[in-house]
Amino acid sequence: MANLHSFSRRGLLLGGGVAMTTMALAACGESKSASSSSTSSGASDAKVSLTFWGWAPGYKEAVELWNKKNPNTQVTWIATEASRKIYPKMLTAVKANNAPDLAQVGYEALPSFVIQDAVQDIKEWAGDVDKNFTAAGAKSVNLGGAVYGIPVDTAPMAMIYNKALLDSLKIKAPKTWDEFASAARAVKKADPKASLTYFSSDPNFLAGLVRQAGGRWYDVTDSTVKVIMTQDAASRKVADFWQKLINEGSIPVHEGYTPQVYKQMNEDTLTSELYGIWDTALIAQNVPKGKGKWAVAPLPEWPDRPGGADMGGSATVVLKGSKNAEAAARFATWMSTDPQAVSILISKGGLWPASTTGLANKALQKPDAFYSNDKVFVPFIDVAKNLKYDWVWGPTQVQAGQDMENNLVKVSKSYPITKALADTQESTLAKLKKQGIKVG
């Protein structure tokens, strides 16, 4: 099994035969000490200004709360494009030495930032990450013994669905994937223009389903990366399940988060979406006609592997070049653990807290008017606590994620999911070799 904690930039590069001088190696491994001499402002009364790039709802309001409470350390929030669209710009800004101090980076992309020496190790100021955060968050930022960010959220996956429509068809929320397939066929039979859901081209969607089935896409050691998207049995199982529904016309293939998706939801022709629990907020915002009709249920399960799924999440990282790394790390820790800040992130963005104390936040108990005043988050508290975390991302996932998205959006009868995985594996291996990383 891949060991997430074994990942290290130095080991992978040396394993790949990349020549680096002793001075360069020291610079890669000791950003913490190099920055400490210029970051005393994080614990003093000196005036500090920080810049923060990200995209998630709720971050802006959390920053505003911090600024009210901390007049000596002011954070400027700059809203950006989401995830894969902004990462190349972040990395370019680091190389040009004009990057922000802080950035929102998805867990899947963090190894790519580490391997490109774009983030600082903030272990000195992060506290006990393993104790203060759930495994899904802690293990995502703790790489090779360094801490490259503060976890903000994780994403227990849910089935967010039009309960009123399914009730009219006498279909209950499916508890197993076999029941889900039967429900998809029943919805299509009742209305050929309608679909139970769609297969999303978002790589994190497929990754979450593969995780739930017990699969993985990478095996990573300190010096070698194996890409096993096509060899992994659980990946093939999930791909075959969805491909069958696609081939028979029961579900379509779509990009996620598009006007087309929300239009179909408003018209009652798209009946559900399987995403991280944060998606409850997006649907409430974009499907006004669904108020009082929609509900939230746990993701269907495989009989041989019961349990939920996780669709990732984000960390707040301190980018290379920041002259105020300590102050930035302290802000990041506050945003992920302060009860008021966490409450804002839950209520404004539907974000599921990565902090262990966040699971007791009262905002998770709040009824949601869009979902018939149900306490939609409550069933997922135990799911989040009990999620197994044995997943690892590869060190070029920024590129791999974009390639996979480009491939998954083309999925059809003639271009199956397994072919999309194979093409992504091929391009990922080429990228790893180009960067001098040893592949297994």
Side-chain angles (χ1 to χ4, degrees), residues 9-252:
R9 178 177 186 271
R10 183 184 304 187
L12 286 174
L13 290 176
L14 286 178
V18 175
M20 298 181 70
T21 67
T22 302
M23 183 178 295
L25 280 172
C28 294
E30 298 175 4
S31 61
K32 172 177 64 175
S33 60
S35 63
S36 61
S37 62
S38 61
T39 57
S40 61
S41 55
S44 74
D45 293 330
K47 296 285 186 179
V48 176
S49 295
L50 303 171
T51 305
F52 186 8
W53 286 9
W55 62 87
Y59 277 47
K60 176 177 178 289
E61 292 81 359
V63 167
E64 290 172 349
L65 177 63
W66 165 274
N67 286 338
K68 288 179 182 178
K69 293 186 172 185
N70 297 274
N72 288 335
T73 303
Q74 292 289 285
V75 179
T76 299
W77 166 254
I78 297 177
T80 67
E81 298 170 285
S83 57
R84 287 180 294 281
K85 294 181 180 179
I86 191 60
Y87 296 149
K89 296 177 183 178
M90 289 179 178
L91 293 168
T92 298
V94 170
K95 292 177 182 177
N97 201 31
N98 60 5
D101 300 275
L102 296 145
Q104 178 184 359
V105 174
Y107 299 139
E108 77 285 356
L110 188 52
S112 296
F113 277 70
V114 173
I115 204 70
Q116 296 189 54
D117 199 25
V119 289
Q120 300 194 39
D121 176 8
I122 58 172
K123 186 175 182 178
E124 181 178 353
W125 311 296
D128 190 341
V129 171
D130 289 331
K131 177 182 178 181
N132 296 332
F133 296 91
T134 58
K139 291 184 178 180
S140 294
V141 300
N142 191 336
L143 306 176
V147 175
Y148 288 108
I150 301 297
V152 177
D153 67 309
T154 59
M157 289 184 74
M159 180 176 176
I160 308 158
Y161 68 105
N162 188 328
K163 185 177 185 299
L165 194 149
L166 289 190
D167 283 350
S168 71
L169 299 176
K170 301 187 185 316
I171 298 173
K172 295 181 179 180
K175 294 182 179 181
T176 68
W177 286 111
D178 283 345
E179 291 177 1
F180 180 88
S182 297
R185 296 176 184 120
V187 169
K188 184 61 66 174
K189 183 178 180 180
D191 181 356
K193 294 181 180 180
S195 301
L196 175 63
T197 192
Y198 63 99
F199 180 81
S200 173
S201 63
D202 185 339
N204 287 346
F205 164 79
L206 182 56
L209 298 177
V210 170
R211 289 190 212 193
Q212 184 197 34
R216 63 193 191 279
W217 287 342
Y218 298 92
D219 276 337
V220 180
T221 67
D222 191 51
S223 60
T224 304
V225 177
K226 291 183 180 180
V227 187
I228 55 172
M229 297 173 186
T230 58
Q231 297 95 318
D232 180 62
S235 296
R236 293 195 300 270
K237 175 182 177 179
V238 171
D240 290 346
F241 173 85
W242 287 88
Q243 191 65 49
K244 185 176 182 180
L245 293 175
I246 293 167
N247 289 352
E248 66 190 29
S250 295
I251 63 166

Side-chain angles (χ1 to χ4, degrees), residues 278-427:
W278 41 259
D279 194 43
T280 55
L282 292 178
I283 290 178
Q285 293 164 11
N286 290 283
V287 190
K289 293 182 180 180
K291 185 176 182 179
K293 297 180 180 180
W294 284 65
V296 183
L299 202 67
E301 298 179 349
W302 297 103
D304 60 342
R305 189 177 167 88
D310 182 82
M311 200 173 161
S314 297
T316 305
V317 306
V318 180
L319 293 174
K320 272 295 182 71
S322 173
K323 293 181 172 61
N324 296 292
E326 181 180 357
R330 294 191 188 285
F331 161 77
T333 301
W334 171 89
M335 192 178 80
S336 290
T337 58
D338 177 80
Q340 284 184 274
V342 171
S343 181
I344 289 171
L345 296 177
I346 295 169
S347 59
K348 296 288 185 181
L351 300 184
W352 189 267
S355 64
T356 51
T357 56
L359 296 180
N361 194 287
K362 292 181 180 180
L364 293 178
Q365 304 284 341
K366 185 178 179 181
D368 192 314
F370 182 86
Y371 298 98
S372 302
N373 285 317
D374 285 347
K375 297 180 179 180
V376 297
F377 289 139
V378 169
F380 296 90
I381 295 175
D382 286 337
V383 172
K385 289 179 180 177
N386 297 321
L387 272 176
K388 299 176 182 177
Y389 196 85
D390 49 8
W391 183 267
V392 63
W393 292 105
T396 59
Q397 188 60 33
V398 169
Q399 165 265 327
Q402 189 60 63
D403 289 351
M404 183 172 285
E405 184 173 30
N406 293 340
N407 293 330
L408 289 178
V409 79
K410 299 183 295 185
V411 163
S412 63
K413 278 187 179 181
S414 59
Y415 186 79
I417 299 167
T418 50
K419 175 61 173 170
L421 288 172
D423 287 348
T424 304
Q425 178 165 313
E426 181 179 355
S427 64

Side-chain angles (χ1 to χ4, degrees), residues 254-270:
H254 281 319
E255 291 183 60
Y257 326 110
T258 64
Q260 178 189 11
V261 165
Y262 298 128
K263 179 175 183 291
Q264 291 176 357
M265 289 179 177
N266 274 306
E267 294 172 346
D268 290 345
T269 56
L270 186 60

